[in-house]
Amino acid sequence: MKKMIVMFTMCLMMMAMMTSCGSSHENTPRGVAEAAVKYLSKKDWKGYMDLTDANDKQKEVMAQMLEKMGQQLDDKGGMKSYEFVDEDIDEENGTATITVKVTYENQTSEDNKMKMLKKDGKWLLSSEK
């Protein structure tokens, strides 16, 4: 269980690292977080990675982690719902942390923190812990 939480959190952080070229989500921390969760629930790994600031090497590692996370999502029956429970946005420094509570089909839930940064005017999931 702890490994799954760590994997999910790392995936969410990586999501913030990638550039959101041509995406339709709102360019806000919450908009990026919502897009990330939707991509994860659909197992759209490319969409997810496009929301992060990861370089090519980091994306390779991330792809492996996302595959493992996909199996963990399957084991829980997939995502049932999610809700945002906290937002800490520092516009001046271009950082944010969004906490999202994910409920799975097997009726378990967990809170996950998504760290973000603003790079070239775009909010991205951060690869930094």
Side-chain angles (χ1 to χ4, degrees), residues 70-101:
Q71 181 59 50
Q72 293 170 346
L73 283 171
D74 288 344
D75 292 346
K76 291 184 174 190
M79 276 190 216
K80 181 177 183 178
S81 63
Y82 63 92
E83 67 179 293
F84 296 100
V85 294
D86 191 34
E87 295 181 18
D88 181 16
I89 302 168
D90 182 349
E91 283 282 348
E92 187 173 315
N93 291 314
T95 60
T97 302
I98 305 294
T99 305
V100 61
K101 179 179 181 177

Side-chain angles (χ1 to χ4, degrees), residues 3-22:
K3 281 185 176 182
M4 184 170 13
I5 292 170
V6 170
M7 292 291 286
F8 186 74
T9 302
M10 289 186 69
C11 288
L12 293 176
M13 290 187 305
M14 284 189 238
M15 175 175 54
M17 293 187 289
M18 300 176 102
T19 321
S20 55
C21 301

Side-chain angles (χ1 to χ4, degrees), residues 2-51:
K2 189 174 182 177
K3 281 185 176 182
M4 184 170 13
I5 292 170
V6 170
M7 292 291 286
F8 186 74
T9 302
M10 289 186 69
C11 288
L12 293 176
M13 290 187 305
M14 284 189 238
M15 175 175 54
M17 293 187 289
M18 300 176 102
T19 321
S20 55
C21 301
S23 66
S24 61
H25 68 275
E26 184 178 348
N27 187 27
T28 64
R30 187 178 190 141
V32 172
E34 186 159 20
V37 172
K38 287 180 180 178
Y39 285 137
L40 289 172
S41 71
K42 293 188 254 181
K43 297 183 190 173
D44 180 350
W45 310 138
K46 182 184 179 332
Y48 178 86
M49 288 192 290
D50 286 345
L51 296 173

